[in-house]
Structure formats: C-alpha cells, structure tokens
Amino acid sequence: MKTLVVEEDFTSRLIMHKSLEAYGDVHIAINAYEAIEAFRSSLKDRSPYKLICLDVMMHGIDGKSVLKEIRSIEEGLGVTDSNQVKIIMTTAMRSNEIM
C-alpha cells in the first residue's frame, strides 16, 4: 500500500513511518506544499497513494485545507467517492484544542 505521511514534527513522522513501512512504500511530506505536490505527482505517474496520514495543525496551510485541495483535485479528475484516497487526519493535540 502506497502511503503519504504529512507531518511537520520529526518524532511523529518517524513513528508513523516505522508503523506503516511494513505495509508498503511510505513517502514523507513535511508541509502542505510538499503534500499537495506529492499527491499531484502520484496521480501524474499513475501510481496514486492509497492512504494519506495528514497532520491537522501545520504552519501556513493547515491539514483541513490540504484535505479540501486533495478532494478538489480528485473531483476535477472525475475520481468517484469509492476510489478517493483514504485520508486519516492526525494530531498530537487534545480534541478540545482542535475545535
């Protein structure tokens, strides 16, 4: 399973990478810009990600905005809901800090 981990924090990135590498290729993006570029590149190469672990809180563009951009790209390409990349939003914050 081809996975993209989008995480600014080094330790969190390392833990997710180590946890997921047994299931296939794991690529890393350290910010929103890298994440969107990696996602577009994977589609262009016809080797899309199956899973994206996406940090909610990032400097600049946050994870929710990246999620919206990814879904917009998929919609523009006519990707059906059942074929969309699976995205898990991740955070080290308590749930009441996110809202």
Side-chain angles (χ1 to χ4, degrees), residues 17-71:
H17 185 275
K18 288 288 185 191
S19 298
L20 294 167
E21 68 183 350
Y23 302 100
D25 292 335
V26 180
H27 297 173
I28 300 293
I30 62 170
N31 60 45
Y33 303 103
E34 286 186 5
I36 293 167
E37 179 59 31
F39 179 72
R40 284 189 173 143
S41 181
S42 75
L43 295 174
K44 180 181 173 190
D45 294 342
R46 297 181 186 208
S47 178
Y49 290 104
K50 300 296 181 191
L51 174 66
I52 297 176
C53 296
L54 180 57
D55 188 7
V56 173
M57 300 291 292
M58 295 184 285
H59 293 93
I61 302 173
D62 67 9
K64 291 184 245 181
S65 297
V66 174
L67 173 61
K68 288 178 185 177
E69 179 67 18
I70 288 171
R71 293 300 185 224

